[in-house]
Amino acid sequence: MRATPARARRWLTAAGAVLALTAVAACGGGGGGGSDSGSGSADKADLTWQFWIGGTEDQAAWQKVADQAHTDHPGITVKLQGADWNNYWSKIGTLLASGKAPCIIGMQSLRLASYANAMLPLDDLMQKYGLKTEDFDKPIMDGLKSDGKQIAIPYDSGPMVIFYNKDLFKAAGVPDPKPGWTMDEFKAAAKKLTTGGRTGLVTTPGDLGVASWVRTMTGAEPLADGKLNLTDSKFTDGFKGWADFVRTDKIAPQVPSGSTDFETTQFVSGKSAMQLNGPWSLIDTLGKVKFNLGIAPIPAGPDGSKTFTAGSGFGISRSCKTPDAAFQAIMSMTSEKPLTTLAAAGRAYPARIAAHPAWFTAAKIPEAKEVIDYASENSVPLVTSKNWVQVNDLLTRFGTQVLNGEVPPEQALKTIQDQAGAGS
Amino acid sequence: MTATDTTEAPPGVPPDRARRAGRPPALRRDGRYASVFLAPSLGGLALFTLFPTAMALGISLFDWPVFGERKFLGIENYTQLLSDPVFRRVVLNTTLFVVLYVPLNVVVSLGLATWLGPKIKGRQAFRVLFFIPVMTPMVANVMVWRLLFQPGGLLDSGLQSWFGINAPNFLGSSDWAMPAIVAMSIWQGFGYNFLVFSAALDQVPQSQLESAQIDGAGPFQRFRYVTWPMITPSLFFATTMTLITSFQVFAQPFILTQGGPGVSTQTIVMYVYNQGWQFLSMGLASAAGWVLFVIIMGITAIQFVGQRKWVNYDV
């Protein structure tokens, strides 16, 4: 039987995938031969920087950040390389495993624990070059630590906050939420807004969102002493409270599985009046919506409004031959000037305190500063475990079943805890 | 072997080589050309298929994280897989997909191919139309189907405005997600088998069908006793290929539901992808890959044994 083109293509795809797997396996042990890990001295080096890049516009914006290193240190050049968000993580995994990773690596706080082993702790370099941690938001500085060591220097940060549709609030006669609003006030507002095919809230399962809701309702955190804590009764209660938004309160719609943009499209199209989101999406959302956008802190549970912060930064791979030059480049890339430029262009909420005003000016929402300052004060970093990617995957899968009322919350949490324990 | 145009073996050449050398020169030349032309493919097969397959078998015996220490485990990855309720469910899902998808695909493609007989006007246009989903990128197909399926989507809002009822949450319900994926896959994939069957049906001689008709055979009998035996080789080809590829289903559930809700639509290839590239656990991923390999080899072998009973090559 001859191979038809379609068949050949399928085989080729499969073979390619297997080969890629093998390639990783084959070079996994080495650690040597870092051809692309930079060369030169502390002040003179050609460095490569791997980062997630959304498109050509993104590439241009981030290349400007890279160029700051060359402006500050004429001997250092930083070349940007990357992939889109999803592919970035499998790419960076293979690069780090092969020991041929570029010097500078983009790292997100929630994924840090999985990759920390292949990254260089920065504490000595921070001291040597005098990087002041107090110039940065504390929660995200802590969020980019692993086992107490600083793994990356942040460029953005952000506590989870509520985005809301001011026009729908007005039409329903619900007053704008203020910092300190309670869970009861939130639910009453959401109930009033759930009418005419619209819902007051939209929520989908995901680590940051679920953990933030649980934390504000009962104070429980997903990890205790570095171990998964999902079957703890406080966590279960909080998780139940979150699931009830859809299950029993019916203030949020049922969710489809695997649709990562359902929450955003539902909110942006005006079908739901509120969603939990991070400041990193605020200006982007502002550009998409056709209504007046407001932001509010997460409602307060019995112990006040409590939320989680996440953010991203730049670290150095262990295979980098010129860590000093790489660190100086990172210092330039996270300095006031590039972060202010990024903030003014409406990108992520900057991690450097001095760059905040530029972002608030770009956001054009009067209450933004008050709300984000309040949320920051009430937030802690979501510190994750080594197998967090799996935990988040399980949370998303079973969380969908819980929200839609297919599986009881306690049972889902037990399954996640069992599975993640086995797979870590 | 030296090139020679004689059909006689030169003295001193062993009998075996002599026999081969004794073949007609044209055939011998063909053989040499064939091996030259086959070499790139065989090289590719060895490099891209055989070597990685063997390598994966090796890796599957280790605790092989992408970073950090590797540890020899023996068959522990396999025992872990077989005792894991999630993996068992994943195997069940894959089987369920195959059991639903393969017969439906064959029925739809064969049915449409039979219906689009030579007497139908514009059959070429239909053929092109049916083949379009096979060629368009899967991601684009899935995006469109998601707009159909999701709450407030085309199906849901259509049912609401016409009948005032809500459609099921196709992608959010464990009962509906797999049928939704199968429906989408059939729409996407039937065009390929449709073309294979169309070609086979066109080969059935009209004269035989006509003589059967003169002998009093109705349309069903003509199909059963004349057409069917003649297209069995194509049916065998189509079912074997469809079975193999449907055991490897990945893109549809990966993009449409990401394997959820729960693990109700997660398939074996998705499991391999997640373990390897998301959770960075290569040993477990390789073991799961080998489980899939053995399943596919086994089923294909059974098909080849079974074909003797029903495939008819003597037409």
Side-chain angles (χ1 to χ4, degrees), chain A residues 1 4 10 28-29 257 401 406, chain B residues 70 171 174 192 237 245 257 262:
Chain A
M1 234 176 279
T4 61
R10 262 173 267 160
S257 179
Q401 288 187 315
E406 286 192 341
Chain B
R70 291 163 202 161
L171 303 179
S174 304
Y192 183 76
F237 167 78
T245 52
T257 60

Side-chain angles (χ1 to χ4, degrees), chain A residues 1 4 7 10 15 18-19 21-22 24-25 28-29 93-94 96-97 114-115 255 257-258 389-390 397 401 404 406 419, chain B residues 48 52 55 59 64 66-67 70 84 86 169 171-174 192 237 241 245 256-257 259-262 266 277 279:
Chain A
M1 234 176 279
T4 61
R7 183 189 171 196
R10 262 173 267 160
V18 180
L19 182 82
L21 196 80
T22 322
V24 187
T94 37
L96 289 172
S114 307
Y115 299 87
V255 296
S257 179
V389 178
Q390 188 177 13
R397 294 172 174 287
Q401 288 187 315
N404 293 341
E406 286 192 341
Q419 277 289 317
Chain B
F48 294 109
M55 189 77 191
I59 295 175
W64 194 302
V66 170
F67 325 117
R70 291 163 202 161
D84 178 5
V86 167
N169 183 0
L171 303 179
S173 147
S174 304
Y192 183 76
F237 167 78
M241 294 311 298
T245 52
L256 208 53
T257 60
Q266 196 177 5
W277 296 114
F279 314 151

